[in-house]
Amino acid sequence: MKYSALSQQGRRTTPPPISWLMKTALAHPGLISLAAGFTDNATLPVRSARKLLNEILATPQSGQPALQYGTTAGEPALRQLTATRLQQLDGQQDKSHAADRVIITSGSQQLLYMTMEALCDEGDIVLVEDPTYFVFLGILQSRGVRACGVKLERDGLSLAHLEAVLERLKKSGELARVKALYLVSYFQNPTGATTSLAKKAAVLKLLRSYERAAGHPLYLLEDAAYRELRFAGQDIPSALTLRGAADRVIYAGTYSKSFATGARLGFGLLPEPLFSTVINIKGNHDFGSANLIQALLTRALASNQYGQHLNRIRKGYARKAAIMQRALAEHFPADAEIWSAEGGLYFWVRLPAKIRTGVKSKLFQTALKNNVLYVPGSLCYADDPARPKPDHEMRLSFGSASETALREGVARLGATLRQLSSRKS
Ligand SMILES: Cc1ncc(COP(=O)(O)O)c(C=O)c1O
């Protein structure tokens, strides 16, 4: 056939690396995956979910609404509990934190996707941390939106570089194409970096100062997916607490990481006109996320089973992060730069620049033969003609592998690194 019936978007969309990584893991029995962003199977709340679902389905009065369609924005009680929890975390109860701004979504992934649908046309630009969450890069690529990277430092993105990027886009006449800045602010995926409140404030201020030249609002999309997985140090207030946040900050959160990844319930708090637009878009996507799962989360939050579960899993991840840290210190070369984290699921490792980590590299292929998988850092960088993609880094997750597998997986990777460096010398 001469012509394809596929849409521009269909033709443009490349296979997401996440599918490939998952398939690779399944195709290698015995493989230890330090790549998957999965939560720990052993900690998933099977007993409390069973108890809560039994309560929901115990009577027709509670069971029937849960097994019926709901509303597009989500179960009102869950929207309220979500807003209340955020108010408690942020220590603030204002317009930015109101329940009527909350939309419950099928994973925060859906919120991210719909927000991009609401804001961006083909050819538009979204600023991202460089490196960033690679599945978000996939959304942009598929929709024909350009990701423009802003250098990431240990404590969040570089303000000086953000200003330089905005200035460059202003000079080239492209500022009108910029719609938002995407910030994974807590224990970032992939690096584990956390952005301070002062930096968030500076980012919002900087974006504001370029709005006149852009001719429209420049939104700050704060993705707080890992916020509640903190196991050391103090929580940091979200960008919703900043002055001027009420009409510029979009907050994306999820119950996937903090309760059950398989529940795939996320949420967003959005300013108008985005809130109404995203509701309309969700009306076309699915006109509401699964009501039964929303009923489950509503009960988990209201009964504080959610809070108790969080306390348990935080302790587990603290232990696993410490195991990974010790194993890296023992098995990795001394010149590897290791970014450990106070929460989330990831460590970031920067190897000397001459050691390539990409999918086609000797290291990746040998690691696979040695039955261990990591996420190559290069997958997490935006395409940018101004610089080659860094290709000497890796994301390591301590989320899903058991404690024994974590030790063994890091040891295998360390041995692979030694194997390759001895071959060269
Ligand atoms: C930074 C970040 N945002 C969003 C998501 C999406 O998670 P979910 O759709 O399960 O809420 C993930 C998943 O790994 C993530 O790492």
Side-chain angles (χ1 to χ4, degrees), residues 254-313:
T254 183
Y255 292 119
S256 281
K257 312 288 177 183
S258 53
F259 191 69
T261 3
R264 293 311 302 280
L265 268 198
F267 58 88
L269 281 84
L270 301 98
E272 287 292 6
L274 266 177
F275 178 82
S276 301
T277 309
V278 167
I279 290 282
N280 292 342
I281 289 174
K282 186 165 166 67
N284 291 333
H285 271 237
D286 59 13
F287 48 90
S289 297
N291 233 6
L292 180 62
I293 302 297
Q294 292 193 60
L296 171 65
L297 255 299
T298 304
R299 285 204 181 226
L301 283 160
S303 65
N304 200 34
Q305 303 248 358
Y306 177 84
Q308 288 163 10
H309 174 68
L310 255 184
N311 287 340
R312 269 194 305 274
I313 62 171

Short mmCIF file of all heavy atoms in Angstrom, two decimals, residues 254-313:
data_model
loop_
_atom_site.label_atom_id
_atom_site.label_comp_id
_atom_site.label_asym_id
_atom_site.label_seq_id
_atom_site.Cartn_x
_atom_site.Cartn_y
_atom_site.Cartn_z
N THR A 254 0.12 11.68 42.78
CA THR A 254 -0.33 10.31 42.47
C THR A 254 -0.47 9.48 43.74
O THR A 254 0.26 9.70 44.72
CB THR A 254 0.65 9.62 41.50
OG1 THR A 254 0.14 8.32 41.19
CG2 THR A 254 2.05 9.48 42.06
N TYR A 255 -1.42 8.56 43.72
CA TYR A 255 -1.53 7.56 44.78
C TYR A 255 -0.86 6.26 44.37
O TYR A 255 -0.88 5.29 45.12
CB TYR A 255 -3.01 7.33 45.13
CG TYR A 255 -3.64 8.54 45.79
CD1 TYR A 255 -4.73 9.20 45.22
CD2 TYR A 255 -3.12 9.04 46.98
CE1 TYR A 255 -5.28 10.32 45.83
CE2 TYR A 255 -3.67 10.16 47.59
CZ TYR A 255 -4.74 10.80 47.01
OH TYR A 255 -5.27 11.91 47.61
N SER A 256 -0.26 6.24 43.17
CA SER A 256 0.42 5.03 42.70
C SER A 256 1.58 4.66 43.60
O SER A 256 1.71 3.53 44.03
CB SER A 256 1.01 5.27 41.31
OG SER A 256 0.05 5.17 40.31
N LYS A 257 2.46 5.62 43.82
CA LYS A 257 3.71 5.32 44.52
C LYS A 257 3.44 5.18 46.02
O LYS A 257 4.07 4.38 46.69
CB LYS A 257 4.74 6.43 44.31
CG LYS A 257 4.91 6.84 42.86
CD LYS A 257 5.63 5.81 42.04
CE LYS A 257 5.71 6.24 40.59
NZ LYS A 257 6.32 5.24 39.75
N SER A 258 2.52 5.97 46.53
CA SER A 258 2.33 6.02 47.98
C SER A 258 1.38 4.94 48.48
O SER A 258 1.38 4.62 49.66
CB SER A 258 1.81 7.39 48.38
OG SER A 258 0.65 7.71 47.62
N PHE A 259 0.53 4.38 47.62
CA PHE A 259 -0.41 3.34 48.07
C PHE A 259 -0.27 2.07 47.22
O PHE A 259 0.30 1.10 47.67
CB PHE A 259 -1.84 3.88 48.05
CG PHE A 259 -2.82 2.97 48.75
CD1 PHE A 259 -2.77 2.79 50.13
CD2 PHE A 259 -3.78 2.28 48.02
CE1 PHE A 259 -3.65 1.92 50.78
CE2 PHE A 259 -4.67 1.41 48.66
CZ PHE A 259 -4.60 1.24 50.04
N ALA A 260 -0.77 2.12 46.00
CA ALA A 260 -0.66 0.91 45.17
C ALA A 260 -0.47 1.33 43.72
O ALA A 260 -1.33 2.00 43.14
CB ALA A 260 -1.91 0.05 45.30
N THR A 261 0.65 0.91 43.16
CA THR A 261 0.95 1.28 41.77
C THR A 261 -0.13 0.76 40.82
O THR A 261 -0.49 1.42 39.85
CB THR A 261 2.33 0.72 41.35
OG1 THR A 261 2.87 -0.04 42.43
CG2 THR A 261 3.29 1.82 41.03
N GLY A 262 -0.67 -0.42 41.15
CA GLY A 262 -1.69 -1.01 40.28
C GLY A 262 -3.03 -0.30 40.35
O GLY A 262 -3.88 -0.49 39.47
N ALA A 263 -3.24 0.52 41.37
CA ALA A 263 -4.50 1.27 41.46
C ALA A 263 -4.53 2.39 40.41
O ALA A 263 -5.60 2.79 39.95
CB ALA A 263 -4.68 1.85 42.86
N ARG A 264 -3.33 2.87 40.05
CA ARG A 264 -3.20 3.90 39.01
C ARG A 264 -4.16 5.06 39.21
O ARG A 264 -4.89 5.46 38.31
CB ARG A 264 -3.41 3.31 37.61
CG ARG A 264 -2.37 2.35 37.14
CD ARG A 264 -0.94 2.82 37.29
NE ARG A 264 -0.63 4.06 36.60
CZ ARG A 264 -0.37 4.16 35.30
NH1 ARG A 264 -0.39 3.10 34.56
NH2 ARG A 264 -0.07 5.33 34.77
N LEU A 265 -4.18 5.60 40.42
CA LEU A 265 -4.98 6.81 40.62
C LEU A 265 -4.04 7.99 40.86
O LEU A 265 -3.17 7.92 41.73
CB LEU A 265 -5.89 6.67 41.83
CG LEU A 265 -7.28 6.13 41.62
CD1 LEU A 265 -8.15 6.46 42.81
CD2 LEU A 265 -7.94 6.66 40.34
N GLY A 266 -4.23 9.01 40.07
CA GLY A 266 -3.45 10.22 40.25
C GLY A 266 -4.40 11.39 40.40
O GLY A 266 -5.63 11.22 40.39
N PHE A 267 -3.83 12.57 40.52
CA PHE A 267 -4.68 13.75 40.63
C PHE A 267 -3.93 15.00 40.20
O PHE A 267 -2.69 14.98 40.11
CB PHE A 267 -5.21 13.91 42.07
CG PHE A 267 -4.13 14.03 43.11
CD1 PHE A 267 -3.58 15.25 43.46
CD2 PHE A 267 -3.64 12.89 43.75
CE1 PHE A 267 -2.58 15.35 44.42
CE2 PHE A 267 -2.63 12.97 44.72
CZ PHE A 267 -2.11 14.21 45.05
N GLY A 268 -4.69 16.03 39.93
CA GLY A 268 -4.09 17.31 39.61
C GLY A 268 -4.86 18.44 40.27
O GLY A 268 -6.06 18.29 40.55
N LEU A 269 -4.17 19.53 40.57
CA LEU A 269 -4.84 20.76 41.00
C LEU A 269 -4.48 21.80 39.94
O LEU A 269 -3.29 22.03 39.68
CB LEU A 269 -4.36 21.22 42.37
CG LEU A 269 -4.98 20.47 43.55
CD1 LEU A 269 -4.24 19.19 43.82
CD2 LEU A 269 -5.05 21.35 44.78
N LEU A 270 -5.51 22.38 39.33
CA LEU A 270 -5.24 23.25 38.19
C LEU A 270 -5.97 24.57 38.30
O LEU A 270 -7.12 24.62 38.76
CB LEU A 270 -5.68 22.57 36.88
CG LEU A 270 -5.04 21.24 36.54
CD1 LEU A 270 -5.95 20.11 36.95
CD2 LEU A 270 -4.75 21.14 35.07
N PRO A 271 -5.31 25.65 37.82
CA PRO A 271 -5.98 26.94 37.75
C PRO A 271 -6.89 26.99 36.52
O PRO A 271 -6.69 26.24 35.57
CB PRO A 271 -4.83 27.93 37.60
CG PRO A 271 -3.73 27.14 36.97
CD PRO A 271 -3.91 25.71 37.36
N GLU A 272 -7.87 27.88 36.55
CA GLU A 272 -8.66 28.13 35.34
C GLU A 272 -7.84 28.98 34.37
O GLU A 272 -6.99 29.75 34.83
CB GLU A 272 -9.96 28.88 35.69
CG GLU A 272 -10.98 28.01 36.40
CD GLU A 272 -11.58 26.91 35.50
OE1 GLU A 272 -11.13 26.73 34.35
OE2 GLU A 272 -12.47 26.22 35.98
N PRO A 273 -8.03 28.88 33.07
CA PRO A 273 -9.02 28.06 32.39
C PRO A 273 -8.59 26.60 32.16
O PRO A 273 -9.29 25.85 31.50
CB PRO A 273 -9.17 28.77 31.05
CG PRO A 273 -7.80 29.32 30.77
CD PRO A 273 -7.22 29.69 32.11
N LEU A 274 -7.43 26.24 32.75
CA LEU A 274 -6.93 24.89 32.48
C LEU A 274 -7.82 23.82 33.10
O LEU A 274 -8.06 22.77 32.50
CB LEU A 274 -5.52 24.75 33.05
CG LEU A 274 -4.39 25.03 32.10
CD1 LEU A 274 -3.05 24.93 32.81
CD2 LEU A 274 -4.43 24.02 30.95
N PHE A 275 -8.30 24.11 34.33
CA PHE A 275 -9.11 23.09 35.01
C PHE A 275 -10.29 22.66 34.12
O PHE A 275 -10.46 21.48 33.82
CB PHE A 275 -9.61 23.61 36.37
CG PHE A 275 -10.49 22.62 37.08
CD1 PHE A 275 -9.95 21.59 37.82
CD2 PHE A 275 -11.88 22.70 36.98
CE1 PHE A 275 -10.76 20.64 38.46
CE2 PHE A 275 -12.70 21.77 37.61
CZ PHE A 275 -12.13 20.74 38.34
N SER A 276 -11.08 23.64 33.67
CA SER A 276 -12.27 23.30 32.86
C SER A 276 -11.87 22.63 31.55
O SER A 276 -12.55 21.71 31.08
CB SER A 276 -13.07 24.56 32.53
OG SER A 276 -13.45 25.17 33.72
N THR A 277 -10.77 23.09 30.97
CA THR A 277 -10.35 22.51 29.69
C THR A 277 -9.94 21.06 29.88
O THR A 277 -10.31 20.19 29.07
CB THR A 277 -9.15 23.32 29.12
OG1 THR A 277 -9.52 24.70 29.13
CG2 THR A 277 -8.79 22.89 27.72
N VAL A 278 -9.18 20.79 30.94
CA VAL A 278 -8.74 19.41 31.18
C VAL A 278 -9.94 18.51 31.52
O VAL A 278 -10.00 17.36 31.09
CB VAL A 278 -7.63 19.36 32.27
CG1 VAL A 278 -7.37 17.95 32.76
CG2 VAL A 278 -6.33 19.96 31.71
N ILE A 279 -10.91 19.05 32.24
CA ILE A 279 -12.14 18.27 32.52
C ILE A 279 -12.83 17.92 31.19
O ILE A 279 -13.26 16.79 30.98
CB ILE A 279 -13.13 19.08 33.41
CG1 ILE A 279 -12.57 19.22 34.82
CG2 ILE A 279 -14.52 18.45 33.42
CD1 ILE A 279 -12.71 18.00 35.68
N ASN A 280 -12.91 18.89 30.29
CA ASN A 280 -13.54 18.62 28.99
C ASN A 280 -12.77 17.55 28.23
O ASN A 280 -13.35 16.66 27.60
CB ASN A 280 -13.61 19.89 28.14
CG ASN A 280 -14.58 20.90 28.74
OD1 ASN A 280 -15.42 20.54 29.56
ND2 ASN A 280 -14.45 22.17 28.34
N ILE A 281 -11.45 17.65 28.28
CA ILE A 281 -10.63 16.66 27.58
C ILE A 281 -10.82 15.28 28.22
O ILE A 281 -10.96 14.27 27.52
CB ILE A 281 -9.14 17.09 27.59
CG1 ILE A 281 -8.95 18.28 26.65
CG2 ILE A 281 -8.22 15.94 27.20
CD1 ILE A 281 -7.57 18.90 26.66
N LYS A 282 -10.85 15.25 29.55
CA LYS A 282 -11.04 13.95 30.22
C LYS A 282 -12.42 13.36 29.90
O LYS A 282 -12.58 12.14 29.80
CB LYS A 282 -10.85 14.09 31.74
CG LYS A 282 -10.88 12.74 32.47
CD LYS A 282 -10.34 12.83 33.88
CE LYS A 282 -10.67 11.59 34.72
NZ LYS A 282 -10.01 10.35 34.30
N GLY A 283 -13.39 14.25 29.67
CA GLY A 283 -14.70 13.79 29.24
C GLY A 283 -14.60 12.97 27.96
O GLY A 283 -15.32 12.00 27.76
N ASN A 284 -13.67 13.37 27.09
CA ASN A 284 -13.47 12.61 25.85
C ASN A 284 -12.58 11.37 26.06
O ASN A 284 -12.74 10.38 25.38
CB ASN A 284 -12.83 13.50 24.78
CG ASN A 284 -13.81 14.55 24.30
OD1 ASN A 284 -15.02 14.36 24.35
ND2 ASN A 284 -13.28 15.69 23.86
N HIS A 285 -11.62 11.47 26.99
CA HIS A 285 -10.74 10.32 27.25
C HIS A 285 -11.55 9.16 27.84
O HIS A 285 -11.55 8.06 27.33
CB HIS A 285 -9.66 10.67 28.28
CG HIS A 285 -8.41 11.23 27.70
ND1 HIS A 285 -7.18 10.67 27.90
CD2 HIS A 285 -8.18 12.33 26.94
CE1 HIS A 285 -6.25 11.38 27.28
NE2 HIS A 285 -6.84 12.39 26.69
N ASP A 286 -12.18 9.41 29.01
CA ASP A 286 -12.81 8.29 29.72
C ASP A 286 -13.99 8.70 30.61
O ASP A 286 -14.51 7.89 31.34
CB ASP A 286 -11.77 7.54 30.56
CG ASP A 286 -11.07 8.42 31.60
OD1 ASP A 286 -11.53 9.55 31.85
OD2 ASP A 286 -10.07 7.98 32.17
N PHE A 287 -14.37 9.97 30.58
CA PHE A 287 -15.40 10.60 31.43
C PHE A 287 -15.40 10.08 32.87
O PHE A 287 -16.44 9.91 33.50
CB PHE A 287 -16.80 10.59 30.80
CG PHE A 287 -17.27 9.26 30.21
CD1 PHE A 287 -17.98 8.35 30.99
CD2 PHE A 287 -17.02 8.95 28.88
CE1 PHE A 287 -18.40 7.15 30.47
CE2 PHE A 287 -17.44 7.74 28.35
CZ PHE A 287 -18.14 6.83 29.15
N GLY A 288 -14.19 9.94 33.43
CA GLY A 288 -14.06 9.58 34.85
C GLY A 288 -13.20 8.35 35.04
O GLY A 288 -13.28 7.40 34.27
N SER A 289 -12.36 8.39 36.09
CA SER A 289 -11.49 7.23 36.38
C SER A 289 -12.30 6.19 37.16
O SER A 289 -13.34 6.50 37.73
CB SER A 289 -10.28 7.69 37.20
OG SER A 289 -9.52 8.59 36.42
N ALA A 290 -11.76 4.97 37.19
CA ALA A 290 -12.50 3.82 37.77
C ALA A 290 -13.05 4.15 39.17
O ALA A 290 -12.30 4.45 40.10
CB ALA A 290 -11.59 2.61 37.83
N ASN A 291 -14.37 4.05 39.29
CA ASN A 291 -15.04 4.45 40.52
C ASN A 291 -14.73 3.52 41.69
O ASN A 291 -14.63 3.97 42.84
CB ASN A 291 -16.55 4.48 40.27
CG ASN A 291 -17.14 5.81 40.67
OD1 ASN A 291 -16.42 6.73 41.03
ND2 ASN A 291 -18.45 5.89 40.63
N LEU A 292 -14.59 2.24 41.41
CA LEU A 292 -14.31 1.28 42.48
C LEU A 292 -12.95 1.59 43.14
O LEU A 292 -12.82 1.57 44.36
CB LEU A 292 -14.31 -0.15 41.91
CG LEU A 292 -14.02 -1.27 42.91
CD1 LEU A 292 -15.08 -1.34 44.01
CD2 LEU A 292 -13.96 -2.62 42.19
N ILE A 293 -11.99 1.92 42.31
CA ILE A 293 -10.66 2.22 42.84
C ILE A 293 -10.69 3.56 43.58
O ILE A 293 -10.01 3.74 44.60
CB ILE A 293 -9.62 2.26 41.69
CG1 ILE A 293 -9.60 0.92 40.95
CG2 ILE A 293 -8.23 2.58 42.21
CD1 ILE A 293 -9.19 -0.27 41.79
N GLN A 294 -11.49 4.48 43.10
CA GLN A 294 -11.63 5.75 43.83
C GLN A 294 -12.26 5.51 45.20
O GLN A 294 -11.86 6.13 46.20
CB GLN A 294 -12.48 6.73 43.03
CG GLN A 294 -11.82 7.20 41.75
CD GLN A 294 -12.56 8.38 41.16
OE1 GLN A 294 -12.69 9.43 41.78
NE2 GLN A 294 -13.07 8.22 39.96
N ALA A 295 -13.25 4.60 45.25
CA ALA A 295 -13.88 4.28 46.53
C ALA A 295 -12.84 3.67 47.48
O ALA A 295 -12.81 3.97 48.68
CB ALA A 295 -15.04 3.31 46.32
N LEU A 296 -11.96 2.83 46.93
CA LEU A 296 -10.90 2.20 47.74
C LEU A 296 -9.98 3.27 48.34
O LEU A 296 -9.71 3.28 49.54
CB LEU A 296 -10.11 1.23 46.85
CG LEU A 296 -8.83 0.65 47.43
CD1 LEU A 296 -9.13 -0.25 48.63
CD2 LEU A 296 -8.06 -0.16 46.38
N LEU A 297 -9.52 4.20 47.51
CA LEU A 297 -8.62 5.24 47.99
C LEU A 297 -9.32 6.16 48.98
O LEU A 297 -8.72 6.61 49.96
CB LEU A 297 -8.04 6.04 46.81
CG LEU A 297 -6.59 5.75 46.46
CD1 LEU A 297 -5.66 6.07 47.63
CD2 LEU A 297 -6.35 4.30 46.07
N THR A 298 -10.60 6.45 48.72
CA THR A 298 -11.36 7.31 49.64
C THR A 298 -11.35 6.68 51.03
O THR A 298 -11.07 7.35 52.03
CB THR A 298 -12.82 7.46 49.13
OG1 THR A 298 -12.77 7.95 47.80
CG2 THR A 298 -13.62 8.39 50.00
N ARG A 299 -11.63 5.39 51.10
CA ARG A 299 -11.67 4.71 52.40
C ARG A 299 -10.28 4.62 53.02
O ARG A 299 -10.13 4.74 54.23
CB ARG A 299 -12.25 3.31 52.27
CG ARG A 299 -13.74 3.39 52.08
CD ARG A 299 -14.45 2.14 52.49
NE ARG A 299 -15.85 2.37 52.22
CZ ARG A 299 -16.83 2.09 53.05
NH1 ARG A 299 -16.58 1.53 54.22
NH2 ARG A 299 -18.07 2.36 52.72
N ALA A 300 -9.28 4.37 52.18
CA ALA A 300 -7.92 4.25 52.71
C ALA A 300 -7.48 5.57 53.35
O ALA A 300 -6.90 5.59 54.44
CB ALA A 300 -6.96 3.86 51.60
N LEU A 301 -7.81 6.69 52.70
CA LEU A 301 -7.43 8.00 53.23
C LEU A 301 -8.26 8.33 54.47
O LEU A 301 -7.71 8.75 55.49
CB LEU A 301 -7.64 9.09 52.17
CG LEU A 301 -6.57 9.17 51.08
CD1 LEU A 301 -7.10 9.91 49.86
CD2 LEU A 301 -5.31 9.86 51.59
N ALA A 302 -9.57 8.11 54.40
CA ALA A 302 -10.45 8.50 55.50
C ALA A 302 -10.17 7.67 56.76
O ALA A 302 -10.29 8.18 57.87
CB ALA A 302 -11.91 8.35 55.07
N SER A 303 -9.77 6.42 56.58
CA SER A 303 -9.55 5.55 57.75
C SER A 303 -8.11 5.61 58.24
O SER A 303 -7.73 4.92 59.17
CB SER A 303 -9.87 4.11 57.36
OG SER A 303 -8.94 3.67 56.38
N ASN A 304 -7.30 6.38 57.57
CA ASN A 304 -5.86 6.49 57.81
C ASN A 304 -5.06 5.20 57.57
O ASN A 304 -3.91 5.08 57.98
CB ASN A 304 -5.54 7.05 59.21
CG ASN A 304 -4.11 7.59 59.23
OD1 ASN A 304 -3.64 8.12 58.21
ND2 ASN A 304 -3.40 7.43 60.33
N GLN A 305 -5.69 4.23 56.91
CA GLN A 305 -4.89 3.07 56.48
C GLN A 305 -3.79 3.55 55.53
O GLN A 305 -2.72 2.97 55.46
CB GLN A 305 -5.79 2.07 55.73
CG GLN A 305 -6.95 1.61 56.51
CD GLN A 305 -6.84 0.14 56.87
OE1 GLN A 305 -5.90 -0.53 56.49
NE2 GLN A 305 -7.80 -0.34 57.61
N TYR A 306 -4.12 4.59 54.78
CA TYR A 306 -3.15 5.18 53.85
C TYR A 306 -1.91 5.67 54.61
O TYR A 306 -0.78 5.35 54.26
CB TYR A 306 -3.83 6.32 53.09
CG TYR A 306 -2.95 7.09 52.15
CD1 TYR A 306 -2.72 6.63 50.86
CD2 TYR A 306 -2.35 8.29 52.54
CE1 TYR A 306 -1.91 7.34 49.98
CE2 TYR A 306 -1.54 9.00 51.67
CZ TYR A 306 -1.33 8.52 50.39
OH TYR A 306 -0.53 9.23 49.53
N GLY A 307 -2.16 6.44 55.67
CA GLY A 307 -1.06 6.99 56.46
C GLY A 307 -0.22 5.89 57.09
O GLY A 307 1.02 5.95 57.08
N GLN A 308 -0.91 4.86 57.61
CA GLN A 308 -0.17 3.75 58.24
C GLN A 308 0.67 2.99 57.21
O GLN A 308 1.81 2.62 57.47
CB GLN A 308 -1.15 2.79 58.90
CG GLN A 308 -1.76 3.36 60.17
CD GLN A 308 -3.01 2.61 60.59
OE1 GLN A 308 -3.32 1.55 60.05
NE2 GLN A 308 -3.74 3.17 61.55
N HIS A 309 0.08 2.82 56.03
CA HIS A 309 0.80 2.13 54.95
C HIS A 309 2.07 2.93 54.58
O HIS A 309 3.16 2.37 54.44
CB HIS A 309 -0.12 1.98 53.74
CG HIS A 309 0.57 1.41 52.55
ND1 HIS A 309 1.03 0.12 52.48
CD2 HIS A 309 0.91 1.99 51.36
CE1 HIS A 309 1.62 -0.08 51.32
NE2 HIS A 309 1.56 1.03 50.62
N LEU A 310 1.89 4.25 54.47
CA LEU A 310 3.03 5.10 54.11
C LEU A 310 4.17 4.96 55.11
O LEU A 310 5.33 4.87 54.72
CB LEU A 310 2.58 6.56 54.09
CG LEU A 310 2.37 7.23 52.76
CD1 LEU A 310 2.02 8.69 52.95
CD2 LEU A 310 3.59 7.10 51.86
N ASN A 311 3.81 4.97 56.41
CA ASN A 311 4.86 4.84 57.43
C ASN A 311 5.64 3.55 57.25
O ASN A 311 6.87 3.54 57.38
CB ASN A 311 4.25 4.88 58.84
CG ASN A 311 3.81 6.29 59.19
OD1 ASN A 311 4.28 7.26 58.58
ND2 ASN A 311 2.90 6.41 60.13
N ARG A 312 4.91 2.49 56.93
CA ARG A 312 5.58 1.19 56.75
C ARG A 312 6.51 1.22 55.54
O ARG A 312 7.66 0.83 55.62
CB ARG A 312 4.53 0.09 56.53
CG ARG A 312 4.08 -0.60 57.81
CD ARG A 312 3.33 -1.89 57.48
NE ARG A 312 2.21 -1.71 56.58
CZ ARG A 312 0.96 -1.37 56.94
NH1 ARG A 312 0.69 -1.17 58.22
NH2 ARG A 312 0.00 -1.22 56.05
N ILE A 313 5.98 1.72 54.41
CA ILE A 313 6.82 1.63 53.20
C ILE A 313 8.00 2.58 53.25
O ILE A 313 9.07 2.28 52.73
CB ILE A 313 6.01 1.80 51.88
CG1 ILE A 313 5.35 3.16 51.76
CG2 ILE A 313 5.00 0.69 51.71
CD1 ILE A 313 4.74 3.40 50.37
#
